[in-house]
Amino acid sequence: MRLICTVLAVFAAFGGDNLRLSGEETKISNGTLAVIWNPDTHTVTLDQDGIFASIKIPEGNAFSIVKHPISGRDGKMADASSLVIQHGDIIDAVFTAAEDNPFVIVTKHLNKELFAGGSLKNLAFPKFELTLEADKIKTLGTAGLRAADGHKGSYMFLAAANPADRSGVVAGWITSSRGSGIVFSGKENGKVVISPVIEYGKLLPPADSENSAENISEVFVIGKFDDCRRGLERYARQIARSNQIKIKEPIAGYCTWYSNKFGGACNEKEIVNLTKAAAEKLAPFGFSFVQIDDTWQDGISKNGPRRNFLQVKADGPYPNGMKPTAEMIKSHHFKAGIWLIPFAGSADDPIWDKSLFVKSGVTDEVNDKGKPTRPNKIWANKKDEPYQARWSGTTLDMTNPAAQEYLRKEIEQMAKDWGYNYFKLDGFHVSMACENTYVNNEYKADDFGEAVYSDPSITPVAAHRLGSRIIRQAAGDDAFLLGCCVSQNMRSMGASFGCVDAMRVGPDNGSGWNSLKSGPRCGSNRYFLNGRVWWNDPDPVYVRDNMPLEHARLITSWVAVSGQLYAFSDWLPTLSEERVEILRRTIRPHGLRSARPVDLFNEDLPKIWYLTNKSTNRVPQTERHIVAFYNWDDKKPEKIEVTPNWAGLPKAKEYVAFDFWGNKLFGTFTDKISVELPPGSCLVLAVRPVEEHPVLLSTSQHITQGIVDAVEEKWNSETKTLSGVSKVIAGDDYELRIYDPAKKEIRRELLKPTETSDAFKWSVKIE
């Protein structure tokens, strides 16, 4: 890993000419932020236009400065300096300030003192005492938006922000190679404190030389930001850089599991009808995969699904095997998807060789009914017996070559013999032999580190990543891997960085109102990972005919505007044209990383989202902006107001907006947008600054109203003509909604393309 190599360079530098011991105040800086050692107070302070955090260092430590290169943006080397804390000759912690990096990078050295007991279970990092006043701050962690002392522990990240202006501190773990990162927060002397901890479960002493990667902890970063949303987004970029993540193009499609007809895995007859309907009705609009879910596989189980994924259930929904269905799906140019639990078997199924399983390291105490007595624990394990997690199954030992080969054979059969190239990997946490704590978002004890692997030198997280690499190798680089789901055990979030193309970021949902909101809640909480680390999967949208129209529009609009993984699970062949039309207008992914919640630090479930096509990495084009409003109360109407600046819009004297679902001009505004939403509804506005000439304000093809389809737009003042280039779909009427500032009205032009084109030219003369 690039950052690990950087830290090794720091340690290797000791004894060289660039080492400078310091008994005076010492400072390193990258020009934006600084790390300062104050010997009088024995503190390290972090400074960016003023001190924002301090760390108390025990007396008796020495400090050194090392200057060294670091891997920076686009893999290029950048300058960096590190402040190193020592106990005599033993290195403890390293604080690094690197060029063009808004974070202080913090690592610890896994010195021999930490392994006095033979292994290392947890490693506490220095406590950061922030200068933020706790009573004015909200902290955003995996459990949601809470007071600074309201978290039991957040997995991997934490943001402490002032809701009034979004300023604050963002901190988190950017690697999870062997350990599972937790960020605890609290309140001391009226200030916010952050206490990072890395949990290894059971880490053995490094066997390699003093400068090997085995001697370096996971990497923690902390930084100050005027807008903590941007800080979280930069944090996600740090994750991507450290794990060398390459994001695949976003996809959209169908999941069989929740279907109101032929749910579960569907069956080999009806999946043909579903796929044909998708090809006819949705393929031109962005539909690209069909994924078969649970119940196709063979086996027996008393704990969750059957898990013989090498064999199709003879009397099940696919009696002729899975290969013909994959071939059929791919014949329509869709990805063929299949569900499995890759890291688990079933101890109660006689086909399984129990030597393939991880063994429990403890016997759980049980009551007179045989249930565990430990709070929150559900499944009772016995020492030296195969380790089992509720529903997820019996853990395959990814440190055991025989279990590795079994997994490889399983995936290769699905990918190479059957032809599947989309894999939904459920129970993803179970590789770490930790409990299924579903549904849980904040820190909870979970058996982590208690189980016994065949190779004790490999930690549970490392075993998970080893197994994930096997899946990738066996499935192929072109396969799309979806992890599922972090709500079963939040450790799988960080442990899967760089391992999957998409991740279910919340629990199962449904078309009912309360479960419908679970995806937006978790997808908003972790929005910054989307398109940077992976594509967030909030679980399917629903448009079925028996649910309110406003609810169908709301959930599809939320996924489409936020840009997260779009899947639906309604039976398409009999779905009404009204509901199919909602899918058509929302299913195509925009693929942008600019979507963000406006009120992230004001609402646990944000009500306002902003999206723009403005990007420094794309071909210059007309700027387009979407401001979307959501009423998450299905009983009461809601009035929402926001200023243009707070929403994210560019500065302008006046703005004009078009209401997509209402298909009408919303009107103009100057200093605020004020909307009134009926219960359980949304309002999606295309917004542009008012100009002196007509502009293309909206189009009819997609909810983003020009962002995915309008390629070019030009106004000719001499001929009074607005012309442009658009991506159009054969047979899909394409309406231009042109705002004329002179008449303060919408001019509509309906185009009827007969061919699909990415370069359809149009021109409208406006007198």
Side-chain angles (χ1 to χ4, degrees), residues 726-747:
S726 293
K727 298 177 181 180
V728 296
I729 300 166
D732 183 50
D733 289 354
Y734 186 72
E735 185 178 75
L736 306 172
R737 287 89 178 248
I738 300 168
Y739 179 68
D740 186 343
K743 297 180 180 179
K744 296 186 178 181
E745 65 182 21
I746 289 292
R747 163 84 176 266

Side-chain angles (χ1 to χ4, degrees), residues 26-98:
T26 305
K27 174 180 177 181
I28 61 171
S29 174
N30 64 4
T32 301
L33 56 79
V35 182
I36 305 166
W37 158 240
N38 188 321
D40 294 332
T41 59
H42 232 75
T43 57
V44 170
T45 55
L46 310 183
D47 188 299
Q48 183 177 321
D49 298 323
I51 294 172
F52 67 88
S54 62
I55 306 99
K56 191 72 175 175
I57 303 298
E59 294 187 13
N61 291 4
F63 291 81
S64 310
I65 289 180
V66 182
K67 294 186 181 296
H68 56 90
I70 189 171
S71 179
R73 185 176 297 179
D74 301 325
K76 298 178 181 178
M77 299 308 291
D79 292 332
S81 297
S82 293
L83 183 69
V84 182
I85 304 175
Q86 296 171 257
H87 300 288
D89 294 332
I90 298 175
I91 303 164
D92 180 21
V94 180
F95 296 84
T96 300

Side-chain angles (χ1 to χ4, degrees), residues 407-435:
L407 175 63
R408 192 184 309 277
K409 178 181 177 182
E410 189 176 69
I411 300 298
E412 284 184 345
Q413 176 174 281
M414 294 178 189
K416 297 178 181 178
D417 297 345
W418 296 351
Y420 287 87
N421 54 1
Y422 176 112
F423 295 83
K424 180 179 176 181
L425 309 169
D426 213 338
F428 213 41
H429 73 96
V430 77
S431 56
M432 295 180 281
C434 52
E435 288 181 71

Side-chain angles (χ1 to χ4, degrees), residues 504-656:
R504 264 276 301 283
V505 292
D508 287 8
N509 71 359
S511 60
W513 179 249
N514 287 329
S515 61
L516 195 72
K517 296 188 293 183
S518 64
R521 186 180 303 279
C522 294
S524 297
N525 176 267
R526 294 139 211 181
Y527 89 93
F528 51 92
L529 300 173
N530 188 59
R532 296 177 179 87
V533 175
W534 51 46
W535 297 106
N536 284 354
D537 174 15
D539 224 17
V541 302
Y542 300 89
V543 296
R544 54 193 53 173
D545 289 292
N546 65 350
M547 67 186 292
L549 178 65
E550 291 298 334
H551 293 187
R553 286 176 171 173
L554 180 145
I555 191 60
T556 54
S557 297
W558 185 88
V559 174
V561 171
S562 70
Q564 305 196 23
L565 185 70
Y566 193 114
F568 72 96
S569 198
D570 298 308
W571 186 244
L572 185 61
T574 58
L575 194 64
S576 70
E577 180 62 20
E578 176 189 57
R579 301 306 172 103
V580 173
E581 185 66 7
I582 296 175
L583 294 174
R584 291 189 184 118
R585 302 307 155 203
T586 55
I587 196 169
R588 186 183 302 280
H590 58 65
L592 299 171
R593 296 183 300 179
S594 58
R596 57 168 64 109
V598 173
D599 47 349
L600 181 66
F601 303 110
N602 307 92
E603 301 286 347
D604 196 42
L605 179 49
K607 301 173 183 177
I608 313 170
W609 276 72
Y610 170 71
L611 170 69
T612 180
N613 64 346
K614 182 180 179 181
S615 173
T616 57
N617 299 322
R618 292 176 177 263
V619 176
Q621 55 185 303
T622 302
E623 286 187 24
R624 303 190 184 280
H625 309 273
I626 296 293
V627 182
F629 299 86
Y630 305 95
N631 181 0
W632 300 110
D633 190 324
D634 67 333
K635 299 293 191 297
K636 299 177 182 178
E638 180 155 13
K639 183 176 182 179
I640 305 175
E641 292 186 344
V642 65
T643 65
N645 178 62
W646 190 249
L649 292 167
K651 290 183 179 180
K653 292 182 179 180
E654 187 178 27
Y655 306 84
V656 62

